[in-house]
Amino acid sequence: MTTRVATETFPMPDGSLGARLTMTAGRANSLEPGLLGDLASALDEAEAQDASAILICGGRNFSSGGDVRAFHRASLDGEAVAYANAVVPHLQAIVARLIAMPRLVVVAARGAVTGGSAGLLFAADLAVLAPDAFVQPYYAKVGFAPDGGWTALLPERIGAGRALEWLQSDRRLDASALCEAGLATAVSDTPEMTAARLAAEGEIGTRLATKALVWDEARRARINARLEAETAAFLERIVQPDTALGMSRFIERIGS
């Protein structure tokens, strides 16, 4: 167990292990450097245990994405780029890792899956959502450039046109709409239990071979290049005056 990610194993039908990683950080699992570091360490541990399936869970809210207050404080202190570099590249690396690793990645989510945290959903092989789960970009409201694969990975999942429309409109998609879009597998009142059951169904070797064919080296190379472009755009946007104003207005709207 790391500080912000609880880890446990469960048996798979073929005798291998599954690993359940549950994010337990404050501010609705906001993607601050500590949580991202602990999540990467938990993935290291799961791979060291040779887990064939990795289940990623959150609490009442899966994750609220980047901590806008922390970005705003860093901006006021003239440290916006330094703080962004402590967050965004690490998120991007996790997203790229999830699609590349020879493990079945399953997400179980409740409540908010917003901003960059949606990249964990986009990178999952399967996802089970609670009825109250939703995904919303929020970039247009805050002023950040998209990260977490919104422009790098999401177009591969739903098409470039639909991805662009979603980001521009900043619509909130509920669990049912996410299933219809092909971004989730099922809606369940007990998403963690249902996700574990789905992970245990089917022959794992075939499932992992299928994943490797879909996320082949050429496709992953294109996605990695796009993730790097997202990071560069984020770093450029974070120092713009209108981004600082957008962060201030967003914080005022959401309150303390």
Side-chain angles (χ1 to χ4, degrees):
M1 177 177 177
T2 60
T3 304
R4 302 167 188 85
V5 180
T7 63
E8 58 181 322
T9 59
F10 57 92
M12 296 286 287
D14 64 352
S16 65
L17 289 177
R20 182 181 290 105
L21 316 183
T22 304
M23 297 182 290
T24 60
R27 287 197 177 276
N29 291 319
S30 62
L31 299 178
E32 45 81 33
L35 174 58
L36 290 168
D38 284 356
L39 183 55
S41 295
L43 290 171
D44 290 342
E45 182 180 344
E47 291 205 284
Q49 295 171 324
D50 198 24
S52 59
I54 297 176
L55 174 58
I56 303 176
C57 311
R60 184 170 62 87
N61 287 293
F62 182 78
S63 175
S64 58
D67 187 339
V68 178
R69 291 181 181 85
F71 275 106
H72 189 240
R73 287 194 299 270
S75 178
L76 294 176
D77 293 339
E79 298 292 333
V81 171
Y83 184 75
N85 265 318
V87 175
V88 179
H90 300 286
L91 170 62
Q92 310 294 67
I94 289 172
V95 169
R97 181 178 184 178
L98 293 179
I99 65 172
M101 60 171 40
R103 325 280 168 181
L104 187 71
V105 176
V106 187
V107 159
R110 300 173 183 269
V113 187
T114 53
S117 72
L120 304 178
L121 174 68
F122 301 157
D125 303 307
L126 299 170
V128 180
L129 305 179
D132 68 346
F134 67 91
V135 175
Q136 187 169 355
Y138 278 114
Y139 297 104
K141 286 186 172 63
V142 179
F144 295 162
D147 62 345
W150 275 91
T151 65
L153 180 56
L154 182 62
E156 293 279 346
R157 298 292 309 271
I158 66 172
R162 294 177 73 187
L164 179 60
E165 185 280 329
W166 192 3
L167 282 161
Q168 298 286 18
S169 66
D170 196 41
R171 290 185 296 120
R172 175 175 295 194
L173 296 189
D174 63 17
S176 295
L178 291 162
C179 285
E180 292 173 3
L183 294 171
T185 314
V187 179
S188 170
D189 290 327
T190 55
E192 298 83 5
M193 291 178 58
T194 303
R197 176 178 60 77
L198 289 175
E201 292 179 351
E203 202 283 311
I204 191 66
T206 297
R207 299 173 90 176
L208 295 180
T210 302
K211 175 177 181 174
L213 288 169
V214 171
W215 299 122
D216 63 6
E217 185 176 356
R219 182 171 278 121
R220 287 189 283 108
R222 292 195 299 271
I223 290 169
N224 288 341
R226 293 170 186 165
L227 287 169
E228 291 177 4
E230 282 188 350
T231 300
F234 196 102
L235 295 176
E236 181 178 349
R237 284 292 307 158
I238 196 65
V239 296
Q240 300 304 315
D242 60 323
T243 300
L245 180 60
M247 286 190 284
S248 297
R249 289 175 173 170
F250 183 78
I251 291 168
E252 289 176 1
R253 282 198 300 269
I254 64 176
S256 59

